[in-house]
mmCIF file of all heavy atoms in Angstrom:
data_model
loop_
_atom_site.group_PDB
_atom_site.id
_atom_site.type_symbol
_atom_site.label_atom_id
_atom_site.label_comp_id
_atom_site.label_asym_id
_atom_site.label_seq_id
_atom_site.Cartn_x
_atom_site.Cartn_y
_atom_site.Cartn_z
ATOM 1 N N GLU A 29 62.019 148.426 213.491
ATOM 2 C CA GLU A 29 61.085 149.162 214.375
ATOM 3 C C GLU A 29 61.586 149.199 215.821
ATOM 4 O O GLU A 29 60.961 149.821 216.672
ATOM 5 C CB GLU A 29 59.678 148.547 214.287
ATOM 6 C CG GLU A 29 59.019 148.817 212.934
ATOM 7 C CD GLU A 29 57.980 147.783 212.572
ATOM 8 O OE1 GLU A 29 56.827 147.950 212.960
ATOM 9 O OE2 GLU A 29 58.341 146.804 211.900
ATOM 10 N N TRP A 67 83.677 150.117 214.125
ATOM 11 C CA TRP A 67 82.353 150.041 213.462
ATOM 12 C C TRP A 67 81.440 149.108 214.252
ATOM 13 O O TRP A 67 80.292 149.418 214.550
ATOM 14 C CB TRP A 67 82.503 149.572 212.015
ATOM 15 C CG TRP A 67 81.216 149.551 211.249
ATOM 16 C CD1 TRP A 67 80.307 150.586 211.131
ATOM 17 C CD2 TRP A 67 80.673 148.471 210.476
ATOM 18 N NE1 TRP A 67 79.255 150.193 210.338
ATOM 19 C CE2 TRP A 67 79.453 148.912 209.917
ATOM 20 C CE3 TRP A 67 81.114 147.156 210.200
ATOM 21 C CZ2 TRP A 67 78.667 148.089 209.086
ATOM 22 C CZ3 TRP A 67 80.341 146.345 209.371
ATOM 23 C CH2 TRP A 67 79.131 146.816 208.839
ATOM 24 N N ALA A 69 81.910 148.297 217.419
ATOM 25 C CA ALA A 69 81.685 148.850 218.773
ATOM 26 C C ALA A 69 80.521 149.842 218.727
ATOM 27 O O ALA A 69 79.650 149.845 219.606
ATOM 28 C CB ALA A 69 82.961 149.545 219.257
ATOM 29 N N GLN A 79 65.317 147.690 222.325
ATOM 30 C CA GLN A 79 64.574 146.534 222.850
ATOM 31 C C GLN A 79 63.900 145.792 221.697
ATOM 32 O O GLN A 79 63.659 146.395 220.644
ATOM 33 C CB GLN A 79 63.482 147.029 223.818
ATOM 34 C CG GLN A 79 64.038 147.694 225.082
ATOM 35 C CD GLN A 79 65.017 146.790 225.854
ATOM 36 O OE1 GLN A 79 64.817 145.574 225.919
ATOM 37 N NE2 GLN A 79 66.073 147.389 226.369
ATOM 38 N N GLU A 149 88.506 142.921 227.937
ATOM 39 C CA GLU A 149 89.104 144.167 228.438
ATOM 40 C C GLU A 149 89.185 145.178 227.301
ATOM 41 O O GLU A 149 89.852 144.910 226.298
ATOM 42 C CB GLU A 149 90.538 143.866 228.931
ATOM 43 C CG GLU A 149 90.651 143.125 230.261
ATOM 44 C CD GLU A 149 90.234 144.010 231.435
ATOM 45 O OE1 GLU A 149 90.768 145.117 231.556
ATOM 46 O OE2 GLU A 149 89.309 143.583 232.157
ATOM 47 N N GLU A 173 83.139 134.361 204.458
ATOM 48 C CA GLU A 173 83.352 133.359 205.513
ATOM 49 C C GLU A 173 82.200 132.358 205.530
ATOM 50 O O GLU A 173 81.071 132.694 205.159
ATOM 51 C CB GLU A 173 83.473 134.029 206.895
ATOM 52 C CG GLU A 173 84.716 134.905 207.016
ATOM 53 C CD GLU A 173 84.913 135.460 208.431
ATOM 54 O OE1 GLU A 173 83.895 135.808 209.087
ATOM 55 O OE2 GLU A 173 86.069 135.547 208.869
ATOM 56 N N CYS A 190 59.369 121.911 207.006
ATOM 57 C CA CYS A 190 58.240 122.672 207.562
ATOM 58 C C CYS A 190 57.037 122.691 206.617
ATOM 59 O O CYS A 190 57.172 122.474 205.419
ATOM 60 C CB CYS A 190 58.673 124.110 207.855
ATOM 61 S SG CYS A 190 59.057 125.073 206.399
ATOM 62 N N ILE A 201 68.987 138.885 199.580
ATOM 63 C CA ILE A 201 70.141 139.019 198.676
ATOM 64 C C ILE A 201 71.303 138.128 199.126
ATOM 65 O O ILE A 201 71.987 137.501 198.326
ATOM 66 C CB ILE A 201 70.620 140.492 198.656
ATOM 67 C CG1 ILE A 201 69.547 141.382 198.029
ATOM 68 C CG2 ILE A 201 71.951 140.644 197.938
ATOM 69 C CD1 ILE A 201 69.779 142.870 198.244
ATOM 70 N N PRO A 204 74.179 131.963 202.001
ATOM 71 C CA PRO A 204 73.135 131.016 201.573
ATOM 72 C C PRO A 204 71.779 131.196 202.265
ATOM 73 O O PRO A 204 70.831 130.490 201.914
ATOM 74 C CB PRO A 204 73.753 129.667 201.955
ATOM 75 C CG PRO A 204 74.618 129.967 203.124
ATOM 76 C CD PRO A 204 75.130 131.356 202.927
ATOM 77 N N ALA A 206 69.439 133.311 201.856
ATOM 78 C CA ALA A 206 68.356 133.686 200.930
ATOM 79 C C ALA A 206 67.803 132.469 200.186
ATOM 80 O O ALA A 206 66.706 132.518 199.634
ATOM 81 C CB ALA A 206 68.863 134.732 199.940
ATOM 82 N N PHE A 210 63.319 129.174 199.329
ATOM 83 C CA PHE A 210 63.154 128.423 198.071
ATOM 84 C C PHE A 210 63.264 126.914 198.342
ATOM 85 O O PHE A 210 62.533 126.110 197.760
ATOM 86 C CB PHE A 210 64.197 128.871 197.041
ATOM 87 C CG PHE A 210 64.015 130.305 196.583
ATOM 88 C CD1 PHE A 210 64.664 131.343 197.248
ATOM 89 C CD2 PHE A 210 63.157 130.615 195.531
ATOM 90 C CE1 PHE A 210 64.469 132.674 196.861
ATOM 91 C CE2 PHE A 210 62.960 131.946 195.132
ATOM 92 C CZ PHE A 210 63.623 132.968 195.804
#
Side-chain angles (χ1 to χ4, degrees):
E29 290 155 88
W67 184 52
Q79 295 305 323
E149 285 290 307
E173 294 186 322
C190 67
I201 294 167
F210 294 91

